[in-house]
Amino acid sequence: NTLERGATLLRPVQRKDLFSWNGTCVTLLRGNNMDLFDEIVGFESHGIALRKFRSKKTGLSVVLAEVDSPLVQGYFTIATEAHDHDGCPHTLEHLIFCGSEQYPYKGVLDRLANRNFSEGTNAWTATDHTAYTLKTAGAEGFLTVLPVFLDHILYPVLTQETYVTEVHHVAANGENAGVVYCEMQAVETQPNTIVNRKSDELLWPEESGYRSETGGRLSNLRSLTNQKIIDYHKAYYRPDKVVVIVLGKVALNDLLEAFRPIEANIVSKGALPPSPRPWSDPCNITPLKASTTEKVQYPNADESVGMMTLSWRGPMYDNFLEGAALHAIWEYLSDGPVSPLQAALVEVSDPFCTEIYASQDTYAQIARRVKFEDVPVAKLPTLRDTFFTIIREIVSSSSIDMARMGTVLHRKKMQFLEQLETSPHDSVAAYVIVDFLYGSKPSDLPDAVAVPEFYDRLAKMDLAFWIDIAKRYILDAVCVCVEATPSAELAQSLEATEAARVGEQRGTLGEKRLQELGAIVETATQKNNIEGPAEIFTAKPVPDATKIHFINIDTVRNDDIVSDLSPKSLQLRDHVTAGHPSRLPFFLQFDQFHSAFVELSCVMDTSSLPDHLRLYLEIFLEVILKSPIDGDKGKLSYEDVVAGLERDTVEFHNGCGLDGGHNFTCGSFSQYIYISLKLERERYEVGVEWMRRLLWETVMTKRRVKVATRKLINDIPKHKTNGFSMAKTALKELNYDRNRSNHAATSLIRQAQFLKNVLEKLGVEIKKEDGDQQGEHMHAEGEECQHEEQGEEEEEEEEEEDVDDDEDDDDMSEDVQEVLSHLNELRVHVTTVSTLHFQVAGDII
């Protein structure tokens, strides 16, 4: 049964050793390890039992989530707060791995983790916390590494030598270096970094830690000292500011017992002075007084497209119902081609942007942000007003489609449950981390993970509720706008300024000092690379692999390659093929395992695709899930197709390569393209019908192809700012067959000109923006560059955009017919029945 008491949703846990009721736990445990910990809360959420403990002596928090998985994952999380841009949280994220009090050698953690069935360790630095991760197969190896990891976190060596190599130094050539320094150097002038930094500065008060660059700004890193890092570690890396989150099949007694020597070591260090809880000072969230708009520039030789972000403060963290409502309203407004914002700003002949991303920062007070990417520079000055005009019209006319809102809420609920199946470790840990940082009472964690229940409650809300949410948190709320434009001049200026700074630094230091600095780096590197003794790694035996809890999967294929079938697989084969595996004209594989969902995938082989069609793959993948359908069950507009897929699936996607290739890149096995639909188990047959219609009844139209082509063109400048991506693109261009390889055909080097040619064939005149060095942004025929001079022509264009697909296709030149003919030819070729590969994965019988 579910108890509902205000905003609190709790379930009694049906287990012999644990009974949880309204946040109060009575625990029966074998052994005496409860002398170490108090249990704060215990509950079960959607098949996962969670228990939260706090050390009686040290304040260290431990959370165990019993996830049904062969993997055990730990998140060692520290509440870190900074009020400057020195980057102490980020530097410690690196220095922690360089040795500890008991294991003073770099690399011990990763080597020990590898020996205990792990691929290694990892970490990240966020604005409000730092987290270290360990993932092992089975619990035995995890418990072996646990005390070693905590020793590194709580008692790292933090020597000057590790500071030199991992954080910052001046090399013998006079340039600044160090792992952390180089990481931040790679991102400091990136568009997203500049925009997000300015947005945070405007959204949060000057005294707030939420506006700090915890990664470190370059100028700050150059003056940072190792002593300041040591002092920061002493202030924040305390056991009472640490939570160890463990997810997987781990016996509670074994886990808590593993902390006994850790606790003894902490206590032996002596009592720590009182320290305030991070993020508890209300100065961090002083209310904003007025909306503001600021313009920034970022370095880019291509000045055709920019970006814009709009940000708001939302409800407090523990207002879970309205927090869920904000997730839903933004999904309704911005997700998918038929959402109001995308329909008006993206899926039009002359788009305002190529992508709209709505995101959330979950702090003590929630922050919402919507980002518009690849905005033509001529449209940047009007985008903010256009956005608010759309929202104002929705609010004033109460024009929220409640049927679609119902679809959004159901889909959000299903996506949450799907994530608990496919990524339970990450999903649950995210909620536990935020609760550790901002939760104020035991019931906060159960409430936070009761996401489906909140969506069920929201499904009962009326139109007035949603209009009020949009009005209070978007239309009438204080808004921060950052308008970002690219600047070739700034790119040149930054390069010249950096060269001058380094030159001046060389001159100031002099050749002798530079040689001394080079020797310091070499000595530090040698000292840091001293390996630890073998006894560290062999003190405990390699874990017993037979104790790993695996997931059972039964597989059948209609080619009979899998011959040694289990009884479950035989039952599955009979269910799928009715005893006639050769009756299907295509390859089919079923993978049966316990799940509430079924994923249906179709893999299409492009190996024999004619050369003249291969360049069309990018456009084809962009339109195949966003085009009209016409077949034996009637016609569907592209809006009906997208709305139907959103209604009937949990997610749908496609790509080139089997592991998620995206625009201008291919995944593994690049000769294949795919379509994948994930559905609730009971909607499996609906998914099969959708797959059939998408493959064989999709209609290529001039309007949809024009929108897709324009969107891809405006997406190109963003990729050109990524040096690593461009280097890979160049390598692929040099190494792959330009006619037969999808790597070469989909690269932006070839697509840039090809897409322009296609757009010209579709009747769009291509013009360069004033000052546009690359000419990537296109204007429709007759459109003026300056937005304020468009006048009646803009109105005529808007009227033209309202023409439906059928009327748009009446205007068919030979060039248009050629483009559509090639796309249809491509579709027919890759959907030849005998070449298709289908996979169905989930709970089928």
Side-chain angles (χ1 to χ4, degrees), residues 195-353:
V195 171
N196 291 342
R197 179 181 295 169
K198 176 57 67 175
S199 179
D200 288 338
E201 288 176 357
L202 298 173
L203 189 63
W204 302 105
E206 188 171 351
E207 62 273 17
S208 175
Y210 294 133
R211 57 185 286 154
S212 299
E213 174 56 83
T214 55
R217 294 188 182 180
L218 296 182
S219 58
N220 294 66
L221 288 170
R222 289 195 289 268
S223 60
L224 181 64
T225 65
N226 192 41
Q227 185 58 51
K228 182 165 185 178
I229 297 172
I230 292 171
D231 293 342
Y232 187 88
H233 180 274
K234 183 178 180 181
Y236 286 95
Y237 278 61
R238 303 161 42 116
D240 55 353
K241 296 179 182 179
V242 176
V243 60
V244 179
I245 307 164
V246 182
L247 306 101
K249 287 288 187 180
V250 184
L252 176 61
N253 282 295
D254 294 342
L255 175 63
L256 297 184
E257 191 62 30
F259 281 93
R260 189 172 295 280
I262 299 168
E263 287 278 296
N265 188 41
I266 296 172
V267 171
S268 71
K269 305 290 184 182
L272 293 172
S275 177
R277 182 184 184 186
W279 306 110
S280 58
D281 192 329
C283 74
N284 286 303
I285 53 173
T286 303
L288 289 175
K289 295 181 180 180
S291 296
T292 184
T293 297
E294 285 206 17
K295 298 180 180 181
V296 296
Q297 289 186 323
Y298 59 88
N300 196 334
D302 187 329
E303 296 182 327
S304 59
V305 295
M307 70 169 62
M308 177 179 286
T309 64
L310 300 172
S311 304
W312 300 261
R313 303 262 201 99
M316 302 303 291
Y317 157 71
D318 57 0
N319 188 345
F320 300 112
L321 183 66
E322 292 199 347
L326 275 180
H327 275 298
I329 195 72
W330 276 110
E331 185 104 353
Y332 174 89
L333 291 171
S334 65
D335 187 64
V338 297
S339 64
L341 291 175
Q342 288 213 30
L345 303 176
V346 179
E347 300 295 329
V348 290
S349 297
D350 186 24
F352 275 81
C353 56

Side-chain angles (χ1 to χ4, degrees), residues 439-496:
S440 59
K441 52 188 180 297
S443 63
D444 280 347
L445 181 56
D447 284 353
V449 298
V451 175
E453 288 83 354
F454 284 114
Y455 284 131
D456 286 341
R457 290 175 62 185
L458 290 171
K460 300 174 183 177
M461 300 299 182
D462 59 13
L463 175 61
F465 171 85
W466 295 107
I467 294 298
D468 176 65
I469 290 291
K471 192 172 186 297
R472 282 193 294 122
Y473 287 115
I474 303 175
L475 189 59
D476 293 345
V478 175
C479 177
V480 166
C481 174
V482 178
E483 182 182 312
T485 55
S487 171
E489 182 180 351
L490 179 61
Q492 296 172 352
S493 173
L494 287 174
E495 187 175 351

Side-chain angles (χ1 to χ4, degrees), residues 354-575:
T354 62
E355 299 288 350
I356 301 175
Y357 296 110
S359 61
Q360 174 172 304
D361 292 326
T362 306
Y363 299 146
Q365 183 179 16
I366 289 171
R368 295 293 316 192
R369 178 175 296 157
V370 60
K371 180 179 295 183
F372 305 87
E373 291 202 341
D374 307 319
V375 182
V377 291
K379 293 182 178 293
L380 271 170
T382 60
L383 179 54
R384 181 187 184 280
D385 289 343
T386 302
F387 167 84
F388 277 105
T389 297
I390 296 169
I391 302 301
R392 191 174 294 109
E393 173 61 25
I394 291 172
V395 171
S396 63
S397 63
S398 297
S399 56
I400 290 178
D401 181 346
M402 292 302 291
R404 183 167 178 269
M405 180 60 78
T407 295
V408 167
L409 291 167
H410 180 75
R411 203 159 188 252
K412 292 288 290 181
K413 174 182 176 179
M414 290 301 107
Q415 287 172 344
F416 174 85
L417 296 174
E418 189 268 343
Q419 284 295 305
L420 284 186
E421 278 197 6
T422 58
S423 305
H425 305 84
D426 293 337
S427 299
V428 174
Y431 288 96
V432 176
I433 289 172
V434 177
D435 173 75
F436 173 70
L437 296 172
Y438 304 113
S440 59
K441 52 188 180 297
S443 63
D444 280 347
L445 181 56
D447 284 353
V449 298
V451 175
E453 288 83 354
F454 284 114
Y455 284 131
D456 286 341
R457 290 175 62 185
L458 290 171
K460 300 174 183 177
M461 300 299 182
D462 59 13
L463 175 61
F465 171 85
W466 295 107
I467 294 298
D468 176 65
I469 290 291
K471 192 172 186 297
R472 282 193 294 122
Y473 287 115
I474 303 175
L475 189 59
D476 293 345
V478 175
C479 177
V480 166
C481 174
V482 178
E483 182 182 312
T485 55
S487 171
E489 182 180 351
L490 179 61
Q492 296 172 352
S493 173
L494 287 174
E495 187 175 351
T497 300
E498 176 65 7
R501 185 195 66 78
V502 173
E504 182 181 355
Q505 181 170 266
R506 288 194 185 107
T508 301
L509 292 171
E511 189 62 32
K512 180 180 179 181
R513 180 55 181 161
L514 287 174
Q515 290 179 358
E516 292 174 351
L517 291 172
I520 289 172
V521 175
E522 185 175 348
T523 300
T525 301
Q526 293 174 352
K527 184 173 181 179
N528 293 341
N529 289 338
I530 296 175
E531 293 189 2
E535 298 80 51
I536 293 178
F537 310 104
T538 59
K540 288 193 175 183
V542 174
D544 183 356
T546 63
K547 295 180 180 179
I548 299 173
H549 171 76
F550 288 100
I551 297 173
N552 293 322
I553 301 177
D554 293 287
T555 298
V556 296
R557 302 157 49 127
N558 66 331
D559 59 4
D560 279 342
I561 287 181
V562 181
S563 56
D564 186 19
L565 298 179
S566 66
K568 184 75 172 181
S569 295
L570 290 171
Q571 180 188 0
L572 177 64
R573 186 189 66 180
D574 293 341
H575 176 75

